[in-house]
Amino acid sequence: MKNIMKTLGLVAVLFLSFAFNTIEDDKKEIKVESSKVIWKGYKVTGSHQGTINLKSGVLNFEDDKLVGGEFVIDMTSINTTDLEGNWKDKLDGHLKSDDFFGVATYPEATLVFTNVEASGKNAYKVVGDLTIKGKTNPVEFTISIYGSKATANLKIDRSKYDVRYGSSSFFDNLQDKVIYDEFDLITDLEF
Protein backbone atom coordinates (compact mmCIF):
# COMPACT_ATOMS: atom_id res chain seq x y z
CA MET A 1 0.00 0.00 0.00
CA LYS A 2 2.87 2.37 0.82
CA ASN A 3 4.38 1.85 -2.64
CA ILE A 4 1.03 2.56 -4.33
CA MET A 5 0.64 5.81 -2.36
CA LYS A 6 4.22 6.87 -3.22
CA THR A 7 3.63 6.09 -6.89
CA LEU A 8 0.34 8.01 -6.92
CA GLY A 9 2.01 10.94 -5.15
CA LEU A 10 4.87 10.96 -7.67
CA VAL A 11 2.43 10.80 -10.59
CA ALA A 12 0.41 13.70 -9.12
CA VAL A 13 3.55 15.82 -8.63
CA LEU A 14 4.75 15.09 -12.18
CA PHE A 15 1.30 15.81 -13.64
CA LEU A 16 0.94 19.11 -11.80
CA SER A 17 4.49 20.11 -12.70
CA PHE A 18 3.82 19.37 -16.38
CA ALA A 19 0.47 21.19 -16.30
CA PHE A 20 1.95 24.35 -14.76
CA ASN A 21 4.90 24.33 -17.17
CA THR A 22 2.55 23.96 -20.13
CA ILE A 23 0.47 26.93 -18.98
CA GLU A 24 3.60 29.03 -18.43
CA ASP A 25 5.02 28.09 -21.83
CA ASP A 26 1.87 29.45 -23.51
CA LYS A 27 2.34 32.94 -22.06
CA LYS A 28 5.01 34.83 -24.02
CA GLU A 29 6.37 37.97 -22.37
CA ILE A 30 7.10 40.81 -24.77
CA LYS A 31 10.72 42.00 -24.73
CA VAL A 32 9.90 45.67 -24.27
CA GLU A 33 13.51 46.85 -24.75
CA SER A 34 13.77 45.38 -28.25
CA SER A 35 10.15 45.94 -29.34
CA LYS A 36 9.09 49.12 -31.09
CA VAL A 37 5.87 51.10 -31.37
CA ILE A 38 5.77 53.96 -33.88
CA TRP A 39 2.94 56.51 -33.95
CA LYS A 40 1.96 58.63 -36.94
CA GLY A 41 -0.42 61.57 -36.72
CA TYR A 42 -1.82 63.47 -39.69
CA LYS A 43 -2.98 67.04 -40.25
CA VAL A 44 -4.12 69.02 -43.26
CA THR A 45 -0.65 70.49 -43.77
CA GLY A 46 1.41 67.32 -43.16
CA SER A 47 2.15 64.73 -40.52
CA HIS A 48 4.35 63.91 -37.54
CA GLN A 49 5.69 60.66 -36.19
CA GLY A 50 7.52 59.28 -33.24
CA THR A 51 7.78 56.42 -30.80
CA ILE A 52 6.08 55.33 -27.62
CA ASN A 53 7.32 52.65 -25.23
CA LEU A 54 5.64 49.54 -23.96
CA LYS A 55 5.74 49.07 -20.20
CA SER A 56 4.77 45.42 -20.45
CA GLY A 57 3.06 42.96 -22.72
CA VAL A 58 2.17 39.31 -23.16
CA LEU A 59 0.86 37.19 -25.98
CA ASN A 60 -1.04 34.05 -24.99
CA PHE A 61 -0.88 30.89 -27.10
CA GLU A 62 -2.59 27.51 -27.01
CA ASP A 63 -1.16 24.77 -29.22
CA ASP A 64 1.01 27.39 -30.96
CA LYS A 65 -2.08 29.45 -31.87
CA LEU A 66 -2.55 33.01 -30.61
CA VAL A 67 -5.51 33.19 -28.21
CA GLY A 68 -4.99 36.44 -26.28
CA GLY A 69 -2.78 39.32 -25.34
CA GLU A 70 -2.43 42.28 -23.03
CA PHE A 71 -0.25 45.39 -23.22
CA VAL A 72 0.51 48.41 -21.05
CA ILE A 73 1.76 51.51 -22.91
CA ASP A 74 3.89 54.14 -21.16
CA MET A 75 2.17 57.36 -22.29
CA THR A 76 4.87 59.47 -20.61
CA SER A 77 7.36 58.16 -23.18
CA ILE A 78 5.71 59.88 -26.18
CA ASN A 79 8.63 60.98 -28.34
CA THR A 80 8.62 62.87 -31.64
CA THR A 81 11.23 61.63 -34.11
CA ASP A 82 10.63 63.86 -37.15
CA LEU A 83 11.54 67.14 -35.42
CA GLU A 84 14.60 68.37 -33.53
CA GLY A 85 15.43 70.94 -30.90
CA ASN A 86 12.84 73.42 -29.69
CA TRP A 87 10.14 72.25 -32.16
CA LYS A 88 10.51 68.65 -30.95
CA ASP A 89 10.34 69.71 -27.30
CA LYS A 90 7.23 71.80 -27.95
CA LEU A 91 5.39 68.99 -29.76
CA ASP A 92 6.40 66.37 -27.17
CA GLY A 93 5.16 68.65 -24.38
CA HIS A 94 1.92 69.44 -26.20
CA LEU A 95 1.15 65.75 -26.88
CA LYS A 96 1.72 64.99 -23.19
CA SER A 97 -0.50 67.90 -22.07
CA ASP A 98 -4.22 67.80 -21.36
CA ASP A 99 -4.86 69.09 -24.91
CA PHE A 100 -3.94 65.60 -26.08
CA PHE A 101 -3.13 62.62 -23.82
CA GLY A 102 -2.92 64.21 -20.34
CA VAL A 103 -0.08 61.93 -19.23
CA ALA A 104 0.17 63.50 -15.76
CA THR A 105 -3.31 62.15 -15.03
CA TYR A 106 -3.24 59.16 -17.42
CA PRO A 107 0.36 57.87 -17.54
CA GLU A 108 -0.66 54.50 -19.01
CA ALA A 109 -2.87 53.18 -21.78
CA THR A 110 -3.84 49.51 -22.09
CA LEU A 111 -4.84 47.08 -24.80
CA VAL A 112 -6.53 43.80 -23.87
CA PHE A 113 -7.42 41.27 -26.57
CA THR A 114 -11.07 40.17 -26.23
CA ASN A 115 -11.35 37.97 -29.33
CA VAL A 116 -8.73 36.36 -31.57
CA GLU A 117 -9.48 34.43 -34.76
CA ALA A 118 -7.01 32.91 -37.21
CA SER A 119 -7.28 34.67 -40.57
CA GLY A 120 -4.33 33.13 -42.41
CA LYS A 121 -1.23 31.00 -41.95
CA ASN A 122 0.47 33.41 -39.54
CA ALA A 123 -2.23 36.08 -39.24
CA TYR A 124 -4.97 36.68 -36.69
CA LYS A 125 -7.89 39.08 -36.63
CA VAL A 126 -7.96 40.65 -33.18
CA VAL A 127 -10.65 42.59 -31.37
CA GLY A 128 -9.41 44.32 -28.25
CA ASP A 129 -10.35 46.89 -25.65
CA LEU A 130 -8.10 49.94 -25.90
CA THR A 131 -8.12 52.31 -22.93
CA ILE A 132 -6.71 55.82 -23.35
CA LYS A 133 -7.39 58.66 -20.88
CA GLY A 134 -9.64 56.34 -18.86
CA LYS A 135 -11.96 55.69 -21.83
CA THR A 136 -12.26 52.18 -23.27
CA ASN A 137 -13.32 51.41 -26.83
CA PRO A 138 -13.04 48.35 -29.05
CA VAL A 139 -10.40 48.26 -31.79
CA GLU A 140 -9.93 45.75 -34.59
CA PHE A 141 -6.65 44.90 -36.29
CA THR A 142 -4.61 42.08 -37.79
CA ILE A 143 -1.51 40.76 -36.08
CA SER A 144 1.04 38.58 -37.84
CA ILE A 145 3.26 36.15 -35.94
CA TYR A 146 6.59 34.89 -37.30
CA GLY A 147 8.64 32.79 -34.89
CA SER A 148 9.31 35.03 -31.88
CA LYS A 149 8.19 38.25 -33.61
CA ALA A 150 4.83 39.88 -34.17
CA THR A 151 3.73 42.88 -36.22
CA ALA A 152 0.48 44.83 -36.23
CA ASN A 153 -0.83 48.14 -37.53
CA LEU A 154 -3.64 49.84 -35.64
CA LYS A 155 -5.71 52.82 -36.75
CA ILE A 156 -7.01 54.69 -33.69
CA ASP A 157 -9.75 57.33 -33.66
CA ARG A 158 -8.59 59.76 -30.98
CA SER A 159 -12.01 61.45 -30.76
CA LYS A 160 -13.34 58.30 -29.04
CA TYR A 161 -10.87 58.96 -26.21
CA ASP A 162 -11.72 62.63 -25.71
CA VAL A 163 -8.53 63.81 -27.41
CA ARG A 164 -10.05 66.97 -28.86
CA TYR A 165 -7.31 69.43 -29.78
CA GLY A 166 -7.52 70.45 -33.45
CA SER A 167 -10.28 67.92 -34.17
CA SER A 168 -12.99 68.86 -36.65
CA SER A 169 -15.25 66.41 -34.78
CA PHE A 170 -15.37 68.92 -31.91
CA PHE A 171 -14.51 72.32 -33.43
CA ASP A 172 -15.70 74.24 -36.49
CA ASN A 173 -13.72 76.63 -38.70
CA LEU A 174 -10.30 75.04 -38.10
CA GLN A 175 -9.55 75.09 -41.84
CA ASP A 176 -5.88 74.21 -42.43
CA LYS A 177 -5.28 73.77 -38.68
CA VAL A 178 -7.26 70.50 -38.57
CA ILE A 179 -5.48 67.51 -37.06
CA TYR A 180 -7.18 64.36 -38.30
CA ASP A 181 -8.87 62.15 -35.71
CA GLU A 182 -7.24 58.93 -36.85
CA PHE A 183 -3.63 58.15 -36.06
CA ASP A 184 -1.60 55.01 -36.69
CA LEU A 185 0.32 52.73 -34.36
CA ILE A 186 2.83 50.48 -36.11
CA THR A 187 4.16 47.74 -33.87
CA ASP A 188 7.17 45.47 -34.20
CA LEU A 189 7.22 43.12 -31.20
CA GLU A 190 9.70 40.54 -29.96
CA PHE A 191 8.96 37.84 -27.40
Side-chain angles (χ1 to χ4, degrees):
M1 187 68 165
K2 267 187 179 177
N3 286 340
I4 292 174
M5 293 305 284
K6 285 182 182 177
T7 302
L8 286 174
L10 182 60
V11 168
V13 167
L14 289 174
F15 174 77
L16 290 173
S17 173
F18 176 75
F20 284 120
N21 285 339
T22 301
I23 291 169
E24 191 62 36
D25 288 344
D26 289 339
K27 184 178 183 180
K28 306 291 186 186
E29 296 282 334
I30 299 300
K31 296 176 182 174
V32 296
E33 298 301 322
S34 55
S35 295
K36 191 171 199 175
V37 180
I38 297 171
W39 60 263
K40 290 186 178 180
Y42 307 94
K43 57 185 180 172
V44 171
T45 58
S47 64
H48 289 291
Q49 71 179 31
T51 60
I52 191 163
N53 296 334
L54 291 174
K55 241 182 184 176
S56 64
V58 295
L59 291 172
N60 299 315
F61 293 86
E62 283 181 12
D63 298 323
D64 293 327
K65 303 287 186 212
L66 182 67
V67 295
E70 188 168 333
F71 298 86
V72 177
I73 301 124
D74 179 3
M75 297 302 288
T76 66
S77 70
I78 294 171
N79 177 46
T80 305
T81 57
D82 66 323
L83 297 173
E84 294 179 358
N86 202 26
W87 290 108
K88 173 191 171 11
D89 294 341
K90 283 182 180 183
L91 183 54
D92 285 351
H94 199 198
L95 290 172
K96 293 175 184 180
S97 77
D98 290 339
D99 279 347
F100 283 93
F101 297 103
V103 303
T105 305
Y106 304 101
E108 296 178 350
T110 60
L111 173 63
V112 178
F113 295 6
T114 57
N115 188 47
V116 179
E117 294 179 15
S119 61
K121 183 177 178 185
N122 297 314
Y124 299 87
K125 180 183 173 192
V126 175
V127 177
D129 285 337
L130 178 63
T131 303
I132 299 173
K133 290 182 71 173
K135 299 192 181 316
T136 303
N137 289 285
V139 293
E140 293 184 23
F141 59 94
T142 298
I143 187 169
S144 299
I145 309 282
Y146 299 97
S148 61
K149 295 187 176 192
T151 59
N153 296 335
L154 290 78
K155 192 164 280 300
I156 310 298
D157 181 348
R158 68 188 178 104
S159 68
K160 292 181 177 180
Y161 303 92
D162 202 32
V163 180
R164 297 173 171 238
Y165 186 86
S167 170
S168 61
S169 295
F170 298 101
F171 304 103
D172 295 327
N173 301 320
L174 292 172
Q175 298 169 345
D176 66 349
K177 303 221 184 307
V178 168
I179 301 169
Y180 296 117
D181 288 339
E182 289 188 335
F183 66 93
D184 296 325
L185 292 178
I186 300 105
T187 64
D188 189 5
L189 308 173
E190 292 186 23
F191 53 91

